[in-house]
Amino acid sequence: MSNWPDSLAAAKVDQCRLATQVQLKSFPLSNLNSTKKVAGVDVGVDVVSGKLRAAAVLIDPITAELIEWCVAQQAPQFDYQPGYLSYRELPVVLEALEGLSSIPDIIFCDGQGIAHPRGVGIASHLGVLVQRPTIGVAKKLLFGRSREPENKLGFHTLIKYQHQILGCALRSRVNVKPIYVSPGHLITVSDATAWVMHFSRGYKLPEPTRIADRIASRRTKAWQS
DNA sequence: GCGACAG
DNA sequence: ATCTTGTCGC
């Protein structure tokens, strides 16, 4: 990756530039009819090599079943720091995405979208780089605050920071802690929430994220490459 | 100033 | 992210 920041200070400057490019616009679930390629991406660590392993998966828009997947590995070039996750994970994620037969129409990411100190979580950063709608799905909140949504499927409360609405805490499964959804790029909070609910099939995480997570964190066996 | 802090 | 056994609930 060229022009990739190599320090927190440089990354911060980069984030402020990216933030000006993030756009929130309508991308309703009704687009499902014309949406052929739905993707999910996630990163895990290969305990043997110490490398980051990214998985990019294509999911069927209707059945939510796995259609195609690609894995890429790279030595980490950036330490994890809260607020700068994308600089560590995106290089491998982009390589995995390039291995797919085509660029997806919408991408689910593991982490925040605009619910970030500078409005550029990993989902937003990826969306700007590939110019596609992206949705951030996180298991924990990084920025802003929300109250606990009612314990009923699909119920949600907004994530706010000083009157701004950044996403929602969503009950994707009853009796399980909520997930935190925020738009990455080219989608709105409400549309992102609808897409996440559409792909929530009995598990805490929506299928694109859950399946990518399974593949990225699967332990390497001797018979695998 | 102090704590909180995606994966 | 990852290390980890049994246990509780649907």
Side-chain angles (χ1 to χ4, degrees), chain A residues 32-81:
Chain A
L32 197 56
N33 309 301
S34 54
T35 303
K36 304 300 179 191
K37 308 282 189 179
V38 175
V41 294
D42 189 34
V43 175
V45 179
D46 182 298
V47 287
V48 177
S49 66
K51 289 181 174 178
L52 295 184
R53 177 202 289 134
V57 301
L58 282 186
I59 299 299
D60 184 279
I62 306 300
T63 68
E65 290 175 328
L66 179 63
I67 295 175
E68 181 187 338
W69 56 275
C70 179
V71 165
Q73 302 220 45
Q74 278 183 28
Q77 296 300 313
F78 209 98
D79 287 331
Y80 168 72
Q81 300 285 354

Side-chain angles (χ1 to χ4, degrees), chain A residues 164 192 214:
Chain A
Q164 307 173 72
R214 263 201 33 174

